[in-house]
Amino acid sequence: MAARSLFDLSGQIALITGSSQGLGLALARGLGQAGASLVLNGRCEAKLAAAAELLRSEGLRVTTAAFDVTQGGAVEQAVAKVEAEFGPISVLVNNAGIHRRAPLEEMSETQWREVIDTNLTSAFLVARHVAPRMIARRAGKIINTCSVMSEVGRPTTGNYAAAKGGLKMLTRAMATEWARHNVQINAIGPGYFATELTAPLVQNPKFNDWICARTPAARWGKPEELVGAAIFLASAASDFVNGQILYVDGGLLAAI
Ligand code: GCO
């Protein structure tokens, strides 16, 4: 296979959870531009429809699947519907994530559970219903959106770091069980990217100065800068890569 075509996603169908905005939308756009047909997911039908319309206006093949990734029954039904109506899911990006920042000693049980359910349990639930189909086809790519917080913490993000740390190990656990079926399961680990999720931080001059000093690249990442890693992990270029977390963080984790 010519090296360039290793990264061609033509003929693939990619389900990206949490893709009506932010990093998920950027990842969907990139996978689509690399040739994949896209299934966008979110809970809000209106936001999903707007995102789908935007990507279609850019010439991409897009459908939507509105379901709550934290509810196993809804996930099972949605996966079956997508495969029946749109085709076999060959790439799954478990990207759905939220933030509920609070000091641990003040964090409510709801703030804890919402983040663990959305950022970690959802990846299990969606993969639980997609992976058996990939296993039966002996082909599939799963990409979990981890974070630099899979490795390091920061005050007020204890729930998020616990979830993303768990997602790192779930990625490895999936690889130990499913690699033998020619399913590759890896993760991308974003550093600090300017999105809706981090908007409060970007708009905080003190935090902005700190993160630019803490990141060797001395800037925030742009969502489109995550696409290359996702295309690599979604494509034939990564057929012998499994259980890896590919950090896209401007060097943050390399520096003390
Ligand atoms: C924060 C940030 C981080 C980023 C990202 C870094 O509050 O420190 O929101 O959690 O969202 O996860 O990779």
Side-chain angles (χ1 to χ4, degrees):
M1 184 184 282
R4 189 191 301 266
S5 61
L6 281 173
F7 298 87
D8 184 354
L9 299 183
S10 302
Q12 304 304 319
I13 294 178
L15 167 62
I16 307 99
T17 65
S19 49
S20 54
Q21 64 179 23
L23 294 183
L25 180 58
L27 292 173
R29 175 179 282 116
L31 295 176
Q33 289 171 350
S37 298
L38 305 171
V39 183
L40 303 186
N41 159 261
R43 283 178 295 179
C44 172
E45 303 240 11
K47 282 174 73 175
L48 266 185
E53 199 41 51
L54 173 63
L55 296 187
R56 287 190 195 106
S57 72
E58 297 169 10
L60 302 180
R61 285 181 307 286
V62 191
T63 191
T64 61
F67 61 93
D68 184 341
V69 292
T70 68
Q71 301 303 314
V75 170
E76 184 173 18
Q77 282 177 13
V79 168
K81 186 170 187 290
V82 165
E83 292 226 337
E85 296 178 2
F86 201 59
I89 297 166
S90 52
V91 178
L92 168 61
V93 182
N94 281 312
N95 173 77
I98 59 171
H99 238 308
R100 296 286 184 272
R101 297 179 186 86
L104 283 170
E105 71 275 15
E106 297 170 15
M107 188 177 290
S108 70
E109 186 173 339
T110 299
Q111 286 173 314
W112 171 268
R113 289 185 183 281
E114 277 184 340
V115 171
I116 297 293
D117 285 353
T118 306
N119 297 21
L120 174 58
T121 303
S122 68
F124 160 70
L125 291 174
V126 181
R128 169 66 186 77
H129 294 292
V130 171
R133 299 161 180 271
M134 291 179 167
I135 290 167
R137 295 187 285 261
R138 285 199 58 78
K141 301 280 186 176
I142 298 176
I143 303 169
N144 296 320
T145 299
C146 283
S147 162
V148 289
M149 295 207 145
S150 298
E151 303 291 348
V152 291
R154 180 178 85 77
T156 75
T157 65
N159 46 3
Y160 189 97
K164 293 297 190 181
L167 190 56
K168 172 177 77 169
M169 288 314 302
L170 179 59
T171 299
R172 293 174 176 161
M174 288 175 176
T176 64
E177 295 195 25
W178 297 338
R180 74 197 67 207
H181 305 295
N182 193 36
V183 179
Q184 289 83 50
I185 307 96
N186 293 284
I188 49 178
Y192 281 78
F193 283 73
T195 66
E196 295 83 351
L197 191 100
T198 54
L201 306 175
V202 176
Q203 290 149 18
N204 175 326
K206 192 163 168 244
F207 189 95
N208 185 59
D209 290 347
W210 174 75
I211 208 60
C212 289
R214 178 69 180 78
T215 303
R219 64 176 175 86
W220 291 77
K222 292 174 282 203
E224 60 270 23
E225 291 179 307
L226 212 49
V227 165
I231 291 171
F232 168 60
L233 292 175
S235 70
S238 60
D239 280 355
F240 198 55
V241 179
N242 235 312
Q244 300 303 311
I245 321 299
L246 180 49
Y247 287 102
V248 184
D249 67 354
L252 188 149
L253 288 178
I256 190 167

